[in-house]
Amino acid sequence: MTIQSVVIQKLLTTNAHIGRQVATHHFKQFTYGFRNRQAIIDSDKTLICLRNALNFISYLSHDPSSSFLFINTNPLFQPIIDEMTSRVSSLSPERASSLWKLRGFLTNSFSPKKFRSRNKKLVFAPTKMPDCVVIFDTERKSSVFSEAERLGIPIVALVDSSMPWEYYKKVTYPIPANDSVQFVYLVCNMITKCLMLEKKKKDGAKGIGTKSTSDVSLEFLPGSLSIWDKVERTGESESTASDEVIVVPYDNLAPLSDDIAESKQLLDKLVVVKFNGASGKNMGFSGPKSLMEVKNGSTLLDLIVNQIQLLNSKYGCNVPLFLINSKRTHNDILKVLEKYSSSDIDIHPFEQGEQTQHESIFSEEGEDEWQSSKHGSQFLSLMNGGTLDVLLAQGKEYALVVNPDNVASVVDPKILNHLAQNSIEYCLEVMPKASTGLINFMVSSLQGKFKLEDFTSDHTQKFLKGFKFIDTRNMWLNLKAIKRLVDTSALHLDSLSTSKLFEKSIGISIPQSHFLPLNSTSDLLLLQSDLYSFNEGVLVRNNERVSPSDPHIALGPEFEKISDFKRRFTTIPSIVKLDSLEVEGDVWFGADVVLKGEVIIDANPGLPLRVPDGVVLEDEEINSPADI
């Protein structure tokens, strides 16, 4: 990975590449095209333009008398720009009078307009013409464009895909990007860095001892760090400059208090959010995936409701459940919710709104499929709808956002207790890859630091090589921290990289029994077998299983649909001592079959193969009835 790719990755985390629904003709040179009706900006070209603008600012700063006028009328950006100007002024006193925010017009007069009041004097214009104008919120279409052009002052500006030609043509150094708060912060960070480096060079030439630039903190927002700063600061390769995540083993968490009243007070601060937008179409199920039967008549929705209901009953608390449904699953979910009307749980269903609909990913068949990897942004959409303020007013402080595919998700008070005791704002549940050495290391140590590249959200075996942890996509979030960030930016809680936006974040290494996604009938075989059972809505692993990992199961296309899966198994085989199972062809299983070790069943083409009742298959390869 090159430094350029690291910076590109940083640009992507700021959503600089997401344009508007309109791309003007002159802006199309910076775009790839459209996705979900939004222009996608080429991050490589954004990086090139950003470098050109920074090089120009650095060139101007060679002259100590040069001045810069920073134009901003967006209140969301103002704290960042204030901090930038304050930082540069404190390090370079000679520029203190040269850093200005817009308070008037350039061409009204060459002397400041002064208005006297009883207590103060207001200055509405700079005392001298700037050498460069930097504009952050070009959407406001300030008249400063025309004034700067009239005075011959070069303009550096953030431009978006909808900027009219009449303003764009006046910009000397355009920076094509979505003007999110995160990107404005990045630009301010880079400008500050350029000015500080120039000062360091001048002081070095004069023989003046100054504090190393690498020792100066350039961070303006809590927990945020520029990749460029980090690469230069460490002097290490780009791989070592990646963010680190502290992972705490689940077994090291303190137990929940025995005091029922204290536990009730803690749980009353929690809300659980579950998504029900996905259908079971890929498994031949006609309804919402959350209504698919998992075991003994219980559905995925039943399991999470059962857990919350038992918590509320045991501790006398009120943990509500928020369900976010897609347009196609909402009515089916509402019908099912009638059976919970007498239960001790508040369930609040929401239909997927217009904003979240645009963010959905479309399948090849043209139907919108709810992607669990994007459920963090759906949660944010819910919070932006006014729900966040209501929850805070009710005393709620934490939210558990549940991966809709994870059948084994646990509403765990032990994790909530750890977050509250340690003031954690952001926590991801992660699971160690099946590696005995890593698991032993995690159990024997209080915590460990791991790089982001050690994590993957793809749990399939072929993609696990080189990773140490699986991101289960279960998130615990502090609602007060979400409120702080929502007020200033649009977060996308899609991956571990989001953790840097919070002041204190961790990962918790959960047991494997807390993570079992349901994406195919092969997963369903695991759940319906004797390997797992459910107790109060929580998945419990059979103690007779010796191996720490689950068996690898691969059923052929003949088992792909649930109806075929049910027909081909008279009863689900015993797999407690199974290592792997591969089934291909027209295969049928009798009752009370036992599978052990590595079993391969590959029926000859065109010939059905039935596994008799009560047979035990251990480390065998079966191709015909004669092999049994």
Side-chain angles (χ1 to χ4, degrees):
M1 183 182 291
T2 63
I3 292 180
Q4 178 176 349
S5 63
V6 174
V7 179
I8 291 294
Q9 185 178 12
K10 177 64 178 177
L11 289 177
L12 294 177
T13 63
T14 66
N15 294 324
H17 63 292
I18 301 177
R20 302 183 184 276
Q21 295 184 0
V22 176
T24 54
H25 179 73
H26 55 272
F27 192 87
K28 290 183 179 179
Q29 60 179 315
F30 301 120
T31 63
Y32 275 122
F34 283 81
R35 183 178 181 183
N36 295 339
R37 293 184 285 184
Q38 287 183 308
I40 303 300
I41 302 172
D42 189 335
S43 296
D44 285 323
K45 294 182 179 178
T46 298
L47 178 58
I48 293 172
C49 293
L50 179 58
R51 284 174 172 170
N52 290 339
L54 293 174
N55 287 337
F56 174 69
I57 292 175
S58 296
Y59 174 78
L60 286 181
S61 63
H62 290 170
D63 183 357
S65 64
S66 62
S67 61
F68 302 90
L69 178 63
F70 296 95
I71 305 296
N72 173 57
T73 55
N74 189 331
L76 295 179
F77 303 160
Q78 200 58 52
I80 303 173
I81 297 172
D82 286 344
E83 184 67 23
M84 174 184 64
T85 56
S86 174
R87 182 66 53 86
V88 176
S89 297
S90 63
L91 294 172
S92 303
E94 68 275 9
R95 293 195 185 277
S97 61
S98 302
L99 296 168
W100 292 84
K101 296 167 299 214
L102 184 62
R103 290 293 184 270
F105 299 97
L106 293 172
T107 56
N108 279 355
S109 172
F110 284 97
S111 61
K113 298 290 185 183
K114 297 183 180 181
F115 296 82
R116 295 185 178 276
S117 66
R118 180 172 301 176
N119 299 317
K120 60 184 179 179
K121 179 170 63 177
L122 302 178
V123 179
F124 284 81
T127 55
K128 65 184 289 288
M129 289 299 104
D131 295 289
C132 175
V133 173
V134 182
I135 305 176
F136 292 96
D137 51 341
T138 54
E139 184 182 0
R140 307 301 175 101
K141 300 179 176 60
S142 170
S143 61
V144 73
F145 283 100
S146 300
E147 297 182 25
E149 181 187 39
R150 177 179 172 184
L151 295 172
I153 302 173
I155 299 175
V156 174
L158 274 60
V159 299
D160 59 45
S161 59
S162 62
M163 187 177 189
W165 169 249
E166 60 180 301
Y167 294 102
Y168 175 82
K169 67 181 181 180
K170 303 178 190 301
V171 179
T172 314
Y173 293 94
I175 305 175
N178 171 25
D179 56 349
S180 65
V181 172
Q182 296 97 324
F183 185 72
V184 170
Y185 160 75
L186 177 64
V187 173
C188 289
N189 201 0
M190 293 296 98
I191 292 174
T192 307
K193 186 74 171 188
C194 288
L195 298 177
M196 291 172 62
L197 286 176
E198 288 303 321
K199 177 179 177 359
K200 180 183 177 182
K201 291 178 182 178
K202 293 173 188 175
D203 292 343
K206 297 176 182 179
I208 302 175
T210 59
K211 187 176 182 180
S212 172
T213 306
S214 62
D215 296 331
V216 179
S217 174
L218 301 179
E219 316 326 318
F220 309 141
L221 299 179
S224 188
L225 178 63
S226 165
I227 289 292
W228 285 3
D229 285 344
K230 186 172 263 189
V231 171
E232 182 173 341
R233 181 177 303 176
T234 60
E236 299 172 351
S237 65
E238 55 274 7
S239 61
T240 61
S242 301
D243 294 334
E244 290 184 326
V245 178
I246 295 177
V247 178
V248 180
Y250 179 83
D251 292 339
N252 289 76
L253 302 183
L256 194 65
S257 173
D258 294 332
D259 188 338
I260 297 295
E262 185 178 340
S263 299
K264 174 188 181 302
Q265 185 179 12
L266 175 66
L267 287 166
D268 275 334
K269 299 178 181 180
L270 177 66
V271 58
V272 179
V273 181
K274 181 176 174 60
F275 298 87
N276 294 300
S279 71
K281 182 179 178 182
N282 66 317
M283 298 170 63
F285 185 72
S286 58
K289 192 175 182 178
S290 61
L291 302 184
M292 188 183 300
E293 180 182 347
V294 180
K295 193 167 189 174
N296 299 330
S298 295
T299 66
L300 277 77
L301 183 57
D302 289 334
L303 298 177
I304 196 74
V305 170
N306 192 15
Q307 285 188 52
I308 299 175
Q309 186 175 359
L310 289 170
L311 282 176
N312 288 344
S313 176
K314 180 178 180 180
Y315 296 100
C317 56
N318 180 24
V319 178
L321 174 62
F322 285 73
L323 300 175
I324 302 183
N325 313 312
S326 67
K327 295 182 182 296
R328 120 186 112 176
T329 63
H330 187 64
N331 291 334
D332 291 333
I333 296 295
L334 290 181
K335 293 177 183 177
V336 172
L337 292 183
E338 295 176 1
K339 72 176 183 178
Y340 304 123
S341 57
S342 60
S343 64
D344 183 24
I345 178 175
D346 293 332
I347 303 179
H348 306 274
F350 292 86
E351 183 176 357
Q352 179 184 359
E354 181 179 359
Q355 178 180 353
T356 56
Q357 180 70 25
H358 290 166
E359 293 171 353
S360 296
I361 297 178
F362 291 84
S363 64
E364 294 180 359
E365 290 78 10
E367 297 187 10
D368 55 322
E369 290 292 337
W370 192 285
Q371 300 293 324
S372 60
S373 62
K374 299 297 181 184
H375 67 278
S377 58
Q378 315 298 333
F379 168 77
L380 179 65
S381 177
L382 172 66
M383 295 297 101
N384 278 333
T387 306
L388 178 59
D389 293 329
V390 174
L391 292 176
L392 290 173
Q394 294 174 349
K396 302 299 181 183
E397 295 184 17
Y398 295 93
L400 168 60
V401 183
V402 178
N403 181 345
D405 295 331
N406 186 10
V407 181
S409 293
V410 178
V411 184
D412 198 327
K414 189 175 176 180
I415 296 179
L416 178 62
N417 183 51
H418 182 80
L419 304 185
Q421 288 185 351
N422 296 276
S423 302
I424 304 296
E425 293 188 347
Y426 179 87
C427 171
L428 273 178
E429 295 182 11
V430 299
M431 190 185 74
K433 196 178 69 171
S435 169
T436 305
L438 178 63
I439 294 175
N440 290 338
F441 166 75
M442 292 299 299
V443 170
S444 62
S445 61
L446 290 178
Q447 63 187 24
K449 288 186 178 181
F450 297 88
K451 295 182 175 63
L452 286 183
E453 53 262 36
D454 293 331
F455 298 81
T456 178
S457 57
D458 194 327
H459 62 277
T460 54
Q461 291 293 328
K462 62 180 180 180
F463 291 113
L464 285 180
K465 186 177 180 181
F467 295 101
K468 296 178 181 178
F469 289 94
I470 299 171
D471 172 13
T472 69
R473 296 174 182 150
N474 272 17
M475 296 184 295
W476 296 78
L477 301 163
N478 184 297
L479 294 179
K480 292 182 179 179
I482 292 293
K483 173 65 174 176
R484 183 185 74 237
L485 296 172
V486 163
D487 286 344
T488 57
S489 61
L491 301 178
H492 291 274
L493 308 176
D494 297 338
S495 65
L496 279 166
S497 61
T498 309
S499 63
K500 63 190 174 183
L501 298 175
F502 296 87
E503 293 184 359
K504 196 169 184 181
S505 58
I506 64 169
I508 290 183
S509 176
I510 61 172
Q512 187 171 23
S513 59
H514 288 193
F515 179 64
L516 187 55
L518 176 57
N519 294 311
S520 66
T521 53
S522 297
D523 299 325
L524 194 59
L525 176 58
L526 280 174
L527 292 165
Q528 296 189 353
S529 70
D530 57 349
L531 182 60
Y532 286 104
S533 61
F534 287 97
N535 181 20
E536 299 181 346
V538 178
L539 196 66
V540 180
R541 204 161 187 259
N542 194 325
N543 290 329
E544 296 182 12
R545 176 72 177 179
V546 177
S547 173
S549 60
D550 286 341
H552 171 67
I553 297 179
L555 301 178
E558 293 80 8
F559 294 80
E560 183 178 2
K561 306 302 180 184
I562 289 182
S563 57
D564 295 328
F565 174 85
K566 292 180 177 179
R567 287 190 304 110
R568 291 180 177 274
F569 287 102
T570 305
T571 62
I572 300 299
S574 171
I575 62 171
V576 174
K577 298 182 179 180
L578 177 70
D579 294 326
S580 66
L581 171 66
E582 296 182 17
V583 181
E584 287 288 340
D586 189 6
V587 181
W588 302 76
F589 287 83
D592 302 322
V593 174
V594 179
L595 304 175
K596 300 180 180 181
E598 297 181 358
V599 179
I600 299 175
I601 305 177
D602 189 357
N604 293 321
L607 298 176
L609 193 160
R610 179 176 179 83
V611 180
D613 296 347
V615 72
V616 177
L617 300 179
E618 183 174 3
D619 294 324
E620 294 191 42
E621 183 173 349
I622 310 298
N623 299 109
S624 67
D627 297 330
I628 301 177

